[in-house]
Protein backbone atom coordinates (compact mmCIF):
# COMPACT_ATOMS: atom_id res chain seq x y z
CA UNK A 1 0.00 0.00 0.00
CA UNK A 2 1.45 3.36 -1.00
CA UNK A 3 0.61 6.93 -0.21
CA UNK A 4 -2.97 8.18 -0.43
CA UNK A 5 -3.12 11.90 -1.12
CA UNK A 6 -0.70 13.68 1.19
CA UNK A 7 -0.67 10.91 3.80
CA UNK A 8 1.91 8.14 3.87
CA UNK A 9 -0.09 5.67 5.93
CA UNK A 10 2.63 3.02 6.32
CA UNK A 11 5.00 5.69 7.62
CA UNK A 12 2.37 6.98 10.05
CA UNK A 13 1.78 3.49 11.42
CA UNK A 14 5.51 2.93 11.83
CA UNK A 15 5.85 6.22 13.69
CA UNK A 16 2.96 5.32 15.99
CA UNK A 17 4.44 1.90 16.72
CA UNK A 18 7.79 3.39 17.72
CA UNK A 19 6.34 6.18 19.86
CA UNK A 20 7.27 4.48 23.11
CA UNK A 21 10.90 4.31 21.96
CA UNK A 22 10.98 8.10 21.74
CA UNK A 23 9.71 8.43 25.31
CA UNK A 24 12.20 5.93 26.69
CA UNK A 25 15.14 7.67 25.01
CA UNK A 26 14.18 10.96 26.67
CA UNK A 27 13.45 9.29 30.03
CA UNK A 28 16.75 7.41 29.99
CA UNK A 29 18.81 10.50 29.15
CA UNK A 30 17.10 12.28 32.07
CA UNK A 31 17.60 9.39 34.46
CA UNK A 32 21.29 9.01 33.62
CA UNK A 33 21.89 12.74 34.05
CA UNK A 34 22.94 13.57 30.48
CA UNK A 35 21.25 16.98 30.35
CA UNK A 36 22.38 17.95 33.85
CA UNK A 37 25.99 17.10 33.06
CA UNK A 38 26.01 19.10 29.83
CA UNK A 39 24.48 22.10 31.60
CA UNK A 40 27.01 21.93 34.43
CA UNK A 41 29.97 21.47 32.09
CA UNK A 42 29.34 24.78 30.35
CA UNK A 43 30.86 23.41 27.16
CA UNK A 44 30.15 20.66 24.62
CA UNK A 45 31.43 17.20 25.53
CA UNK A 46 32.33 14.07 23.60
CA UNK A 47 30.34 10.88 24.03
CA UNK A 48 33.39 9.31 25.67
CA UNK A 49 33.65 12.09 28.23
CA UNK A 50 29.93 11.90 28.98
CA UNK A 51 30.09 8.10 29.33
CA UNK A 52 33.06 8.36 31.68
CA UNK A 53 31.39 11.00 33.86
CA UNK A 54 28.12 9.06 34.09
CA UNK A 55 29.61 5.58 34.38
CA UNK A 56 28.05 4.07 31.26
CA UNK A 57 29.37 2.14 28.27
CA UNK A 58 30.78 4.29 25.50
CA UNK A 59 28.85 2.47 22.77
CA UNK A 60 25.53 2.74 24.58
CA UNK A 61 26.03 6.39 25.41
CA UNK A 62 26.98 7.31 21.84
CA UNK A 63 23.76 5.77 20.52
CA UNK A 64 21.70 7.47 23.22
CA UNK A 65 23.24 10.86 22.42
CA UNK A 66 22.69 10.44 18.68
CA UNK A 67 19.02 9.55 19.32
CA UNK A 68 18.69 12.70 21.45
CA UNK A 69 20.13 14.70 18.56
CA UNK A 70 17.48 13.22 16.29
CA UNK A 71 14.83 14.28 18.81
CA UNK A 72 16.26 17.85 18.92
CA UNK A 73 17.06 17.41 22.60
CA UNK A 74 20.79 17.70 21.90
CA UNK A 75 22.87 19.38 19.20
CA UNK A 76 26.10 17.91 17.81
CA UNK A 77 29.15 19.60 16.33
CA UNK A 78 31.75 17.65 14.32
CA UNK A 79 35.28 18.80 15.15
CA UNK A 80 38.77 17.51 14.51
CA UNK A 81 38.60 15.80 17.90
CA UNK A 82 35.31 14.15 16.99
CA UNK A 83 31.64 14.76 17.76
CA UNK A 84 30.83 17.15 20.61
CA UNK A 85 27.35 17.30 22.17
CA UNK A 86 25.48 20.13 23.90
CA UNK A 87 21.98 20.73 25.19
CA UNK A 88 19.38 22.52 23.10
CA UNK A 89 17.31 25.28 24.71
CA UNK A 90 14.43 22.83 25.21
CA UNK A 91 16.60 20.51 27.27
CA UNK A 92 18.13 23.28 29.34
CA UNK A 93 14.69 24.65 30.22
CA UNK A 94 12.62 21.49 30.69
CA UNK A 95 14.92 18.50 31.21
CA UNK A 96 17.58 19.69 33.68
CA UNK A 97 16.82 19.28 37.36
CA UNK A 98 17.91 22.80 38.32
CA UNK A 99 15.62 24.67 35.91
CA UNK A 100 12.55 26.39 37.47
CA UNK A 101 10.48 24.85 34.65
CA UNK A 102 12.06 21.40 34.89
CA UNK A 103 9.88 18.44 33.96
CA UNK A 104 12.48 15.96 35.22
CA UNK A 105 10.35 14.66 38.09
CA UNK A 106 7.24 14.00 36.02
CA UNK A 107 9.47 12.25 33.46
CA UNK A 108 10.80 9.94 36.17
CA UNK A 109 7.30 9.28 37.48
CA UNK A 110 6.15 8.30 34.00
CA UNK A 111 9.25 6.19 33.39
CA UNK A 112 9.29 4.27 36.67
CA UNK A 113 5.61 4.08 37.62
CA UNK A 114 3.21 4.89 34.78
CA UNK A 115 5.05 2.79 32.21
CA UNK A 116 4.77 -0.30 34.41
CA UNK A 117 0.98 0.09 34.50
CA UNK A 118 0.77 0.66 30.74
CA UNK A 119 2.45 -2.70 30.19
CA UNK A 120 -0.94 -4.15 31.19
CA UNK A 121 -3.10 -1.86 29.06
CA UNK A 122 -4.77 -4.77 27.27
CA UNK A 123 -5.76 -6.24 30.65
CA UNK A 124 -7.10 -2.86 31.73
CA UNK A 125 -9.25 -2.63 28.60
CA UNK A 126 -10.56 -6.18 29.10
CA UNK A 127 -11.35 -5.68 32.78
CA UNK A 128 -12.15 -1.94 32.95
CA UNK A 129 -9.98 -1.36 36.02
CA UNK A 130 -6.54 -0.11 37.03
CA UNK A 131 -3.54 -2.38 36.95
CA UNK A 132 -1.72 -1.72 40.23
CA UNK A 133 -2.19 -5.31 41.32
CA UNK A 134 -0.38 -6.70 38.28
CA UNK A 135 2.23 -3.94 38.13
CA UNK A 136 3.11 -3.69 41.81
CA UNK A 137 1.26 -6.47 43.65
CA UNK A 138 -0.91 -3.89 45.45
CA UNK A 139 -4.71 -3.88 45.64
CA UNK A 140 -6.35 -1.91 42.84
CA UNK A 141 -9.28 -0.96 45.11
CA UNK A 142 -7.39 1.99 46.62
CA UNK A 143 -5.68 3.88 43.76
CA UNK A 144 -4.03 6.48 45.97
CA UNK A 145 -2.94 3.89 48.50
CA UNK A 146 -1.10 2.32 45.60
CA UNK A 147 0.26 5.63 44.28
CA UNK A 148 1.46 6.55 47.79
CA UNK A 149 2.77 3.07 48.59
CA UNK A 150 6.10 4.40 49.92
CA UNK A 151 7.64 7.71 51.00
CA UNK A 152 9.71 7.66 47.81
CA UNK A 153 6.57 7.30 45.66
CA UNK A 154 4.81 10.11 47.53
CA UNK A 155 7.73 12.45 46.95
CA UNK A 156 8.12 11.41 43.31
CA UNK A 157 4.42 11.93 42.54
CA UNK A 158 4.24 15.29 44.31
CA UNK A 159 7.40 16.60 42.66
CA UNK A 160 6.05 15.49 39.30
CA UNK A 161 2.75 17.29 39.80
CA UNK A 162 4.55 20.42 40.97
CA UNK A 163 6.61 20.46 37.78
CA UNK A 164 3.41 20.39 35.72
CA UNK A 165 1.84 23.33 37.55
CA UNK A 166 4.99 25.42 37.23
CA UNK A 167 4.39 25.59 33.48
CA UNK A 168 0.59 25.16 33.32
CA UNK A 169 -0.69 26.63 36.59
CA UNK A 170 -0.86 30.31 35.71
CA UNK A 171 -2.87 29.66 32.53
CA UNK A 172 -5.70 27.89 34.36
CA UNK A 173 -5.74 30.30 37.30
CA UNK A 174 -5.91 33.29 34.96
CA UNK A 175 -8.68 31.77 32.83
CA UNK A 176 -11.19 33.55 35.10
CA UNK A 177 -10.79 36.55 37.38
CA UNK A 178 -10.53 34.87 40.78
CA UNK A 179 -9.65 38.04 42.70
CA UNK A 180 -13.10 38.23 44.40
CA UNK A 181 -12.35 34.89 46.08
CA UNK A 182 -9.97 35.60 48.94
CA UNK A 183 -10.35 32.44 51.03
CA UNK A 184 -9.47 29.46 48.85
CA UNK A 185 -9.18 25.74 49.55
CA UNK A 186 -7.08 23.64 47.18
CA UNK A 187 -8.46 20.11 47.56
CA UNK A 188 -5.76 17.56 46.89
CA UNK A 189 -3.26 20.40 46.49
CA UNK A 190 -0.27 18.09 47.00
CA UNK A 191 3.11 19.82 46.83
CA UNK A 192 1.57 23.28 46.61
CA UNK A 193 2.87 24.53 43.26
CA UNK A 194 -0.63 25.54 42.14
CA UNK A 195 -1.25 27.25 45.49
CA UNK A 196 1.99 29.18 45.06
CA UNK A 197 0.95 30.27 41.58
CA UNK A 198 -2.43 31.32 42.97
CA UNK A 199 -1.14 33.58 45.75
CA UNK A 200 1.38 35.05 43.31
CA UNK A 201 -1.35 35.89 40.80
CA UNK A 202 -3.89 36.94 43.45
CA UNK A 203 -1.85 38.49 46.29
CA UNK A 204 -4.94 39.26 48.41
CA UNK A 205 -5.87 35.59 48.61
CA UNK A 206 -4.95 32.87 51.05
CA UNK A 207 -4.88 29.22 49.99
CA UNK A 208 -5.29 26.21 52.26
CA UNK A 209 -3.99 22.92 50.88
CA UNK A 210 -6.32 20.11 51.97
CA UNK A 211 -4.67 16.72 51.57
CA UNK A 212 -3.81 13.47 53.30
CA UNK A 213 -1.59 13.78 56.40
CA UNK A 214 1.45 12.14 54.79
CA UNK A 215 1.12 14.40 51.74
CA UNK A 216 0.87 17.52 53.91
CA UNK A 217 3.95 16.43 55.86
CA UNK A 218 6.03 16.10 52.68
CA UNK A 219 4.70 19.42 51.33
CA UNK A 220 5.78 21.21 54.52
CA UNK A 221 9.18 19.53 54.59
CA UNK A 222 10.06 19.65 50.91
CA UNK A 223 8.06 22.23 48.96
CA UNK A 224 6.47 25.09 50.93
CA UNK A 225 8.87 27.31 52.89
CA UNK A 226 7.93 27.81 56.57
CA UNK A 227 7.82 31.60 56.17
CA UNK A 228 5.06 31.38 53.51
CA UNK A 229 2.17 33.25 55.17
CA UNK A 230 -0.48 32.99 52.45
CA UNK A 231 -0.50 29.19 52.27
CA UNK A 232 -1.84 26.99 55.06
CA UNK A 233 -2.56 23.28 55.41
CA UNK A 234 -5.49 21.11 56.41
CA UNK A 235 -4.87 17.41 56.99
CA UNK A 236 -7.65 14.99 56.11
CA UNK A 237 -9.52 12.91 53.57
CA UNK A 238 -12.00 15.21 51.87
CA UNK A 239 -14.21 12.28 50.86
CA UNK A 240 -14.65 11.10 54.45
CA UNK A 241 -13.87 14.16 56.59
CA UNK A 242 -15.62 17.53 56.75
CA UNK A 243 -14.74 20.32 54.33
CA UNK A 244 -14.40 23.81 55.90
CA UNK A 245 -16.20 26.88 54.57
CA UNK A 246 -14.42 28.91 51.89
CA UNK A 247 -15.03 31.33 49.01
CA UNK A 248 -13.54 29.08 46.36
CA UNK A 249 -12.52 25.44 46.07
CA UNK A 250 -9.94 24.39 43.52
CA UNK A 251 -10.11 20.79 42.29
CA UNK A 252 -7.16 20.37 39.96
CA UNK A 253 -6.94 16.97 38.30
CA UNK A 254 -9.12 15.50 41.06
CA UNK A 255 -12.39 14.54 39.40
CA UNK A 256 -10.66 12.72 36.55
CA UNK A 257 -9.47 10.16 39.13
CA UNK A 258 -13.00 9.02 40.02
CA UNK A 259 -16.22 7.68 38.53
CA UNK A 260 -19.31 9.87 38.23
CA UNK A 261 -20.88 8.75 41.52
CA UNK A 262 -17.75 9.59 43.50
CA UNK A 263 -17.47 12.95 41.70
CA UNK A 264 -21.07 13.83 42.56
CA UNK A 265 -20.48 12.84 46.18
CA UNK A 266 -17.49 15.16 46.47
CA UNK A 267 -19.08 18.07 44.61
CA UNK A 268 -22.18 17.90 46.82
CA UNK A 269 -19.94 18.19 49.90
CA UNK A 270 -18.12 21.13 48.34
CA UNK A 271 -21.40 22.86 47.47
CA UNK A 272 -22.68 22.43 51.01
CA UNK A 273 -19.48 23.91 52.48
CA UNK A 274 -19.15 26.75 49.97
CA UNK A 275 -20.10 30.27 51.04
CA UNK A 276 -23.06 31.82 49.19
CA UNK A 277 -21.72 33.55 46.10
CA UNK A 278 -18.62 31.37 46.22
CA UNK A 279 -17.58 28.80 43.69
CA UNK A 280 -15.59 25.82 42.57
CA UNK A 281 -12.84 25.79 39.94
CA UNK A 282 -12.24 22.53 38.11
CA UNK A 283 -8.89 22.19 36.38
CA UNK A 284 -8.96 19.31 33.92
CA UNK A 285 -7.91 18.34 30.41
CA UNK A 286 -11.16 18.60 28.42
CA UNK A 287 -12.19 16.24 25.65
CA UNK A 288 -13.91 17.67 22.57
CA UNK A 289 -17.67 17.25 22.75
CA UNK A 290 -17.53 14.62 19.96
CA UNK A 291 -14.61 12.93 21.75
CA UNK A 292 -12.44 13.32 18.63
CA UNK A 293 -9.56 14.81 20.61
CA UNK A 294 -7.33 16.35 21.74
CA UNK A 295 -5.04 13.37 21.44
CA UNK A 296 -3.22 14.24 24.67
CA UNK A 297 -6.51 14.13 26.56
CA UNK A 298 -7.51 10.84 24.97
CA UNK A 299 -4.19 9.37 26.09
CA UNK A 300 -4.66 10.81 29.59
CA UNK A 301 -8.01 9.04 29.72
CA UNK A 302 -6.29 5.77 28.89
CA UNK A 303 -3.88 6.52 31.71
CA UNK A 304 -6.81 7.02 34.06
CA UNK A 305 -7.94 3.53 33.08
CA UNK A 306 -4.63 1.88 33.99
CA UNK A 307 -4.02 3.96 37.13
CA UNK A 308 -7.28 5.18 38.69
CA UNK A 309 -11.06 4.72 38.82
CA UNK A 310 -11.77 7.72 36.61
CA UNK A 311 -11.62 9.14 33.11
CA UNK A 312 -11.24 12.40 31.20
CA UNK A 313 -14.52 14.14 30.34
CA UNK A 314 -16.03 16.74 28.05
CA UNK A 315 -17.00 20.22 29.24
CA UNK A 316 -20.66 19.19 29.09
CA UNK A 317 -20.03 16.18 31.31
CA UNK A 318 -18.30 18.32 33.95
CA UNK A 319 -21.06 20.91 33.69
CA UNK A 320 -23.71 18.25 34.34
CA UNK A 321 -21.79 17.00 37.39
CA UNK A 322 -21.62 20.55 38.75
CA UNK A 323 -25.29 21.21 38.08
CA UNK A 324 -26.29 17.96 39.79
CA UNK A 325 -24.40 19.13 42.89
CA UNK A 326 -26.24 22.48 42.87
CA UNK A 327 -23.73 24.79 41.18
CA UNK A 328 -24.94 27.36 38.65
CA UNK A 329 -23.58 29.97 36.21
CA UNK A 330 -21.11 27.42 34.90
CA UNK A 331 -18.43 28.80 32.60
CA UNK A 332 -15.82 26.93 30.57
CA UNK A 333 -12.49 28.32 29.38
CA UNK A 334 -10.18 26.38 27.11
CA UNK A 335 -6.67 27.66 27.62
CA UNK A 336 -5.18 26.20 24.44
CA UNK A 337 -2.69 24.36 26.68
CA UNK A 338 -2.78 20.96 28.36
CA UNK A 339 -5.34 21.90 31.03
CA UNK A 340 -8.57 23.87 30.93
CA UNK A 341 -10.79 25.54 33.52
CA UNK A 342 -14.46 25.17 34.50
CA UNK A 343 -15.99 27.57 37.04
CA UNK A 344 -19.26 26.98 38.86
CA UNK A 345 -20.97 29.38 41.30
CA UNK A 346 -23.17 28.75 44.31
Amino acid sequence: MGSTGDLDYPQIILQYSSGFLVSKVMFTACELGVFDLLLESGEPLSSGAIAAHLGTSSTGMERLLDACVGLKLLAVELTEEGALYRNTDISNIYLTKSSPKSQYHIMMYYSNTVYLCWHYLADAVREGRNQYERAFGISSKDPFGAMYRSEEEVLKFMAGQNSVWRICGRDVLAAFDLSPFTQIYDLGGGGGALAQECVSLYPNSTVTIYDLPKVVQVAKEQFIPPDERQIAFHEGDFFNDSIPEADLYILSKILHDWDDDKCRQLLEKVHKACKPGGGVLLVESLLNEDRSGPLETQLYSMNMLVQTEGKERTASEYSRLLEAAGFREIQVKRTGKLYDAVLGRK
Side-chain angles (χ1 to χ4, degrees), residues 237-268:
D237 176 346
F238 46 71
F239 278 108
N240 297 311
D241 301 328
S242 63
I243 297 176
E245 184 181 69
D247 297 317
L248 179 72
Y249 301 87
I250 299 175
L251 280 70
S252 58
K253 300 205 299 178
I254 299 298
L255 297 188
H256 78 165
D257 291 327
W258 306 104
D259 63 25
D260 287 354
D261 287 342
K262 198 100 171 181
C263 290
R264 278 190 287 268
Q265 174 191 338
L266 177 57
L267 289 173
E268 285 170 2

Short mmCIF file of all heavy atoms in Angstrom, two decimals, residues 237-268:
data_model
loop_
_atom_site.label_atom_id
_atom_site.label_comp_id
_atom_site.label_asym_id
_atom_site.label_seq_id
_atom_site.Cartn_x
_atom_site.Cartn_y
_atom_site.Cartn_z
N ASP A 237 -9.02 13.58 54.77
CA ASP A 237 -9.52 12.91 53.57
C ASP A 237 -10.82 13.59 53.21
O ASP A 237 -11.83 13.43 53.89
CB ASP A 237 -9.73 11.43 53.87
CG ASP A 237 -10.34 10.64 52.72
OD1 ASP A 237 -10.85 11.27 51.76
OD2 ASP A 237 -10.32 9.40 52.76
N PHE A 238 -10.81 14.39 52.14
CA PHE A 238 -12.00 15.21 51.87
C PHE A 238 -13.21 14.40 51.43
O PHE A 238 -14.32 14.92 51.38
CB PHE A 238 -11.70 16.34 50.87
CG PHE A 238 -10.91 15.94 49.65
CD1 PHE A 238 -11.47 15.17 48.65
CD2 PHE A 238 -9.60 16.37 49.50
CE1 PHE A 238 -10.75 14.83 47.52
CE2 PHE A 238 -8.86 16.04 48.37
CZ PHE A 238 -9.44 15.26 47.37
N PHE A 239 -13.04 13.13 51.12
CA PHE A 239 -14.21 12.28 50.86
C PHE A 239 -14.89 11.87 52.17
O PHE A 239 -16.12 11.76 52.23
CB PHE A 239 -13.81 11.03 50.08
CG PHE A 239 -13.69 11.26 48.60
CD1 PHE A 239 -12.45 11.27 47.98
CD2 PHE A 239 -14.81 11.46 47.80
CE1 PHE A 239 -12.33 11.48 46.62
CE2 PHE A 239 -14.71 11.67 46.45
CZ PHE A 239 -13.45 11.68 45.85
N ASN A 240 -14.10 11.64 53.20
CA ASN A 240 -14.65 11.10 54.45
C ASN A 240 -14.71 12.10 55.60
O ASN A 240 -15.47 11.92 56.55
CB ASN A 240 -13.82 9.88 54.89
CG ASN A 240 -13.90 8.75 53.88
OD1 ASN A 240 -14.98 8.36 53.45
ND2 ASN A 240 -12.75 8.22 53.49
N ASP A 241 -13.89 13.15 55.53
CA ASP A 241 -13.87 14.16 56.59
C ASP A 241 -14.61 15.42 56.13
O ASP A 241 -14.92 15.59 54.95
CB ASP A 241 -12.43 14.51 56.95
CG ASP A 241 -11.65 13.29 57.43
OD1 ASP A 241 -12.26 12.39 58.03
OD2 ASP A 241 -10.42 13.23 57.18
N SER A 242 -14.89 16.30 57.08
CA SER A 242 -15.62 17.53 56.75
C SER A 242 -14.75 18.46 55.91
O SER A 242 -13.52 18.42 55.96
CB SER A 242 -16.05 18.24 58.04
OG SER A 242 -14.91 18.63 58.78
N ILE A 243 -15.41 19.31 55.14
CA ILE A 243 -14.74 20.32 54.33
C ILE A 243 -15.10 21.69 54.90
O ILE A 243 -16.27 22.04 54.97
CB ILE A 243 -15.18 20.23 52.85
CG1 ILE A 243 -14.77 18.87 52.26
CG2 ILE A 243 -14.58 21.37 52.03
CD1 ILE A 243 -15.23 18.65 50.83
N PRO A 244 -14.11 22.49 55.31
CA PRO A 244 -14.40 23.81 55.90
C PRO A 244 -14.98 24.79 54.88
O PRO A 244 -14.83 24.62 53.67
CB PRO A 244 -13.03 24.28 56.39
CG PRO A 244 -12.22 23.03 56.54
CD PRO A 244 -12.70 22.12 55.43
N GLU A 245 -15.61 25.83 55.40
CA GLU A 245 -16.20 26.88 54.57
C GLU A 245 -15.10 27.69 53.88
O GLU A 245 -14.05 27.96 54.45
CB GLU A 245 -17.04 27.79 55.46
CG GLU A 245 -17.79 28.87 54.72
CD GLU A 245 -18.59 29.76 55.65
OE1 GLU A 245 -17.96 30.52 56.42
OE2 GLU A 245 -19.83 29.68 55.64
N ALA A 246 -15.36 28.08 52.64
CA ALA A 246 -14.42 28.91 51.89
C ALA A 246 -15.15 29.63 50.77
O ALA A 246 -16.32 29.33 50.46
CB ALA A 246 -13.28 28.07 51.32
N ASP A 247 -14.47 30.60 50.15
CA ASP A 247 -15.03 31.33 49.01
C ASP A 247 -14.93 30.51 47.73
O ASP A 247 -15.82 30.57 46.87
CB ASP A 247 -14.30 32.66 48.80
CG ASP A 247 -14.43 33.61 49.97
OD1 ASP A 247 -15.55 33.73 50.49
OD2 ASP A 247 -13.42 34.21 50.36
N LEU A 248 -13.81 29.82 47.60
CA LEU A 248 -13.54 29.08 46.36
C LEU A 248 -12.82 27.78 46.68
O LEU A 248 -11.94 27.75 47.56
CB LEU A 248 -12.67 29.91 45.41
CG LEU A 248 -12.29 29.24 44.08
CD1 LEU A 248 -13.50 29.17 43.15
CD2 LEU A 248 -11.14 30.00 43.40
N TYR A 249 -13.19 26.73 45.96
CA TYR A 249 -12.52 25.44 46.07
C TYR A 249 -11.91 25.11 44.72
O TYR A 249 -12.58 25.16 43.69
CB TYR A 249 -13.51 24.35 46.49
CG TYR A 249 -14.16 24.63 47.82
CD1 TYR A 249 -15.32 25.40 47.88
CD2 TYR A 249 -13.61 24.17 49.01
CE1 TYR A 249 -15.92 25.71 49.10
CE2 TYR A 249 -14.20 24.46 50.23
CZ TYR A 249 -15.35 25.23 50.27
OH TYR A 249 -15.93 25.53 51.48
N ILE A 250 -10.62 24.80 44.74
CA ILE A 250 -9.94 24.39 43.52
C ILE A 250 -9.80 22.87 43.54
O ILE A 250 -9.27 22.29 44.49
CB ILE A 250 -8.55 25.05 43.40
CG1 ILE A 250 -8.68 26.56 43.34
CG2 ILE A 250 -7.82 24.52 42.16
CD1 ILE A 250 -7.33 27.29 43.34
N LEU A 251 -10.28 22.24 42.48
CA LEU A 251 -10.11 20.79 42.29
C LEU A 251 -9.32 20.60 41.00
O LEU A 251 -9.89 20.62 39.90
CB LEU A 251 -11.46 20.07 42.20
CG LEU A 251 -12.19 19.78 43.52
CD1 LEU A 251 -12.72 21.08 44.15
CD2 LEU A 251 -13.34 18.81 43.28
N SER A 252 -8.01 20.50 41.13
CA SER A 252 -7.16 20.37 39.96
C SER A 252 -6.77 18.91 39.75
O SER A 252 -6.15 18.30 40.62
CB SER A 252 -5.91 21.24 40.10
OG SER A 252 -5.17 20.88 41.25
N LYS A 253 -7.20 18.37 38.64
CA LYS A 253 -6.94 16.97 38.30
C LYS A 253 -7.38 16.04 39.43
O LYS A 253 -6.70 15.08 39.76
CB LYS A 253 -5.47 16.76 37.97
CG LYS A 253 -4.99 17.59 36.79
CD LYS A 253 -3.79 16.97 36.09
CE LYS A 253 -2.61 16.86 36.99
NZ LYS A 253 -1.45 16.22 36.33
N ILE A 254 -8.55 16.33 40.01
CA ILE A 254 -9.12 15.50 41.06
C ILE A 254 -10.25 14.64 40.51
O ILE A 254 -10.24 13.41 40.65
CB ILE A 254 -9.64 16.36 42.23
CG1 ILE A 254 -8.51 17.18 42.85
CG2 ILE A 254 -10.32 15.49 43.27
CD1 ILE A 254 -7.41 16.36 43.47
N LEU A 255 -11.22 15.28 39.85
CA LEU A 255 -12.39 14.54 39.40
C LEU A 255 -12.04 13.49 38.35
O LEU A 255 -12.73 12.46 38.25
CB LEU A 255 -13.45 15.50 38.85
CG LEU A 255 -14.03 16.51 39.86
CD1 LEU A 255 -15.19 17.25 39.23
CD2 LEU A 255 -14.46 15.83 41.15
N HIS A 256 -11.00 13.71 37.58
CA HIS A 256 -10.66 12.72 36.55
C HIS A 256 -10.16 11.40 37.15
O HIS A 256 -10.03 10.41 36.43
CB HIS A 256 -9.66 13.29 35.54
CG HIS A 256 -8.24 13.35 36.00
ND1 HIS A 256 -7.19 13.56 35.12
CD2 HIS A 256 -7.67 13.24 37.24
CE1 HIS A 256 -6.06 13.56 35.79
NE2 HIS A 256 -6.32 13.38 37.07
N ASP A 257 -9.91 11.39 38.46
CA ASP A 257 -9.47 10.16 39.13
C ASP A 257 -10.63 9.24 39.51
O ASP A 257 -10.39 8.09 39.90
CB ASP A 257 -8.70 10.50 40.41
CG ASP A 257 -7.35 11.14 40.14
OD1 ASP A 257 -6.72 10.79 39.12
OD2 ASP A 257 -6.92 11.99 40.94
N TRP A 258 -11.88 9.74 39.41
CA TRP A 258 -13.00 9.02 40.02
C TRP A 258 -14.17 8.87 39.05
O TRP A 258 -14.32 9.63 38.10
CB TRP A 258 -13.47 9.77 41.28
CG TRP A 258 -12.35 10.02 42.23
CD1 TRP A 258 -11.68 11.20 42.44
CD2 TRP A 258 -11.70 9.06 43.07
NE1 TRP A 258 -10.69 11.03 43.36
CE2 TRP A 258 -10.66 9.74 43.77
CE3 TRP A 258 -11.92 7.70 43.31
CZ2 TRP A 258 -9.84 9.08 44.69
CZ3 TRP A 258 -11.09 7.05 44.23
CH2 TRP A 258 -10.07 7.74 44.90
N ASP A 259 -15.02 7.88 39.36
CA ASP A 259 -16.22 7.68 38.53
C ASP A 259 -17.25 8.76 38.86
O ASP A 259 -17.08 9.56 39.79
CB ASP A 259 -16.79 6.27 38.72
CG ASP A 259 -17.27 5.97 40.15
OD1 ASP A 259 -17.62 6.92 40.89
OD2 ASP A 259 -17.30 4.79 40.53
N ASP A 260 -18.33 8.79 38.09
CA ASP A 260 -19.31 9.87 38.23
C ASP A 260 -19.94 9.92 39.62
O ASP A 260 -20.16 11.01 40.17
CB ASP A 260 -20.41 9.72 37.17
CG ASP A 260 -19.93 10.09 35.78
OD1 ASP A 260 -18.78 10.57 35.65
OD2 ASP A 260 -20.70 9.89 34.81
N ASP A 261 -20.24 8.77 40.20
CA ASP A 261 -20.88 8.75 41.52
C ASP A 261 -19.97 9.38 42.57
O ASP A 261 -20.42 10.17 43.41
CB ASP A 261 -21.22 7.31 41.93
CG ASP A 261 -22.40 6.76 41.14
OD1 ASP A 261 -23.15 7.56 40.56
OD2 ASP A 261 -22.56 5.53 41.11
N LYS A 262 -18.70 9.04 42.53
CA LYS A 262 -17.75 9.59 43.50
C LYS A 262 -17.57 11.10 43.27
O LYS A 262 -17.45 11.88 44.22
CB LYS A 262 -16.41 8.88 43.35
CG LYS A 262 -15.49 9.04 44.54
CD LYS A 262 -15.52 7.83 45.44
CE LYS A 262 -14.43 7.91 46.48
NZ LYS A 262 -14.42 6.75 47.37
N CYS A 263 -17.57 11.52 42.01
CA CYS A 263 -17.47 12.95 41.70
C CYS A 263 -18.66 13.72 42.25
O CYS A 263 -18.51 14.81 42.84
CB CYS A 263 -17.37 13.17 40.20
SG CYS A 263 -15.82 12.62 39.46
N ARG A 264 -19.86 13.17 42.05
CA ARG A 264 -21.07 13.83 42.56
C ARG A 264 -21.04 13.92 44.08
O ARG A 264 -21.41 14.95 44.67
CB ARG A 264 -22.32 13.08 42.09
CG ARG A 264 -22.76 13.43 40.68
CD ARG A 264 -24.12 12.84 40.36
NE ARG A 264 -24.05 11.40 40.18
CZ ARG A 264 -23.86 10.80 39.00
NH1 ARG A 264 -23.74 11.53 37.90
NH2 ARG A 264 -23.82 9.49 38.90
N GLN A 265 -20.58 12.86 44.72
CA GLN A 265 -20.48 12.84 46.18
C GLN A 265 -19.58 13.97 46.68
O GLN A 265 -19.94 14.70 47.60
CB GLN A 265 -19.94 11.49 46.63
CG GLN A 265 -19.65 11.38 48.12
CD GLN A 265 -18.87 10.10 48.46
OE1 GLN A 265 -18.86 9.14 47.72
NE2 GLN A 265 -18.19 10.13 49.59
N LEU A 266 -18.43 14.13 46.04
CA LEU A 266 -17.49 15.16 46.47
C LEU A 266 -18.03 16.56 46.16
O LEU A 266 -17.95 17.46 47.01
CB LEU A 266 -16.14 14.96 45.77
CG LEU A 266 -15.06 16.01 46.06
CD1 LEU A 266 -14.79 16.11 47.56
CD2 LEU A 266 -13.79 15.70 45.30
N LEU A 267 -18.59 16.75 44.98
CA LEU A 267 -19.08 18.07 44.61
C LEU A 267 -20.26 18.50 45.48
O LEU A 267 -20.41 19.69 45.79
CB LEU A 267 -19.49 18.08 43.13
CG LEU A 267 -18.33 18.03 42.13
CD1 LEU A 267 -18.85 17.88 40.71
CD2 LEU A 267 -17.45 19.28 42.25
N GLU A 268 -21.08 17.57 45.91
CA GLU A 268 -22.18 17.90 46.82
C GLU A 268 -21.65 18.38 48.16
O GLU A 268 -22.17 19.33 48.76
CB GLU A 268 -23.09 16.68 47.01
CG GLU A 268 -23.97 16.41 45.80
CD GLU A 268 -24.69 15.07 45.90
OE1 GLU A 268 -24.54 14.38 46.94
OE2 GLU A 268 -25.41 14.71 44.93
#
